[in-house]
Amino acid sequence: MYPTAARQGSHTGAMVFVGAIGLVLVVVFGLCGGGSTPRAQATPAPSQAPLPKLADLDSAWIDQSAPAQVSIGAEATITFKFRNTGKVAWTRGTGSEASLAFVGSNANFDPKMAVNWPQPGRPAVQNEAVVAPNEIATFTFKVKGVAAGTYRIDVRPVIVAVGPMRDQGVYTEVVVR
């Protein structure tokens, strides 16, 4: 025979256990949409602007930093500026974002030279939130000297979700000593 207090403690422990299971079930049903409580409808995401057509995109080289000269282990910052000469804005964070991309293979460029690039072969995205037609976009990126030599980087702007703009023969060289 068990004393009354022991039976009550045992009974209370069972109640806590059952209560915990009930709480877990309420949370699970609440998260999974169980039960009869109506849930608010999700608000649809705002529609994205249609992607521009490649024919509506163009750029013109404006300026760039001087060719970089770095020691092994040192970093250099490179900047290119292109005017948006097309018919549509370039908007960062969307399918109409402009990025700077390699032209051709850049076979002599050592990928270990890239410092925090968004993607291999795409060293930078436009700095500005929006670059309307006739405005200037700035593309800035870093390279690191890893092996002695001269490395040529040929670039042109591309619209991420559409494609590359015309090649204007723009390039820079990085000399690592």
Side-chain angles (χ1 to χ4, degrees):
M1 216 168 169
Y2 295 105
T4 306
R7 281 196 308 244
Q8 286 177 345
S10 171
H11 179 68
T12 304
M15 291 302 289
V16 170
F17 181 70
V18 171
I21 290 175
L23 178 61
V24 169
L25 290 175
V26 168
V27 170
V28 169
F29 278 168
L31 292 175
C32 295
S36 61
T37 306
R39 296 188 327 172
Q41 294 294 323
T43 305
S47 61
Q48 293 289 330
L51 292 175
K53 296 176 183 161
L54 194 54
D56 291 335
L57 301 170
D58 201 8
S59 67
W61 173 86
I62 297 295
D63 193 18
Q64 71 189 65
S65 54
Q69 294 190 20
V70 297
S71 301
I72 293 176
E75 293 181 359
T77 300
I78 299 172
T79 300
F80 287 92
K81 292 183 179 182
F82 285 86
R83 182 177 305 279
N84 177 353
T85 58
K87 299 176 184 175
V88 296
W90 306 339
T91 306
R92 192 174 58 222
T94 71
S96 64
E97 174 180 82
S99 63
L100 201 61
F102 284 167
V103 175
S105 69
N106 277 309
N108 78 333
F109 183 78
D110 185 339
K112 291 182 252 169
M113 292 176 69
V115 178
N116 298 323
W117 290 9
Q119 296 178 22
R122 292 204 179 170
V125 297
Q126 66 190 60
N127 292 351
E128 300 77 12
V130 176
V131 181
N134 208 34
E135 291 183 350
I136 297 173
T138 307
F139 302 92
T140 303
F141 61 97
K142 289 184 178 187
V143 294
K144 181 177 183 177
V146 294
T150 300
Y151 302 88
R152 181 174 164 143
I153 304 172
D154 294 85
V155 295
R156 67 176 161 190
V158 301
I159 296 300
V160 175
V162 180
M165 293 183 224
R166 65 188 168 89
D167 180 7
Q168 300 169 54
V170 178
Y171 72 95
T172 193
E173 290 183 339
V174 178
V175 177
V176 181
R177 298 176 193 256

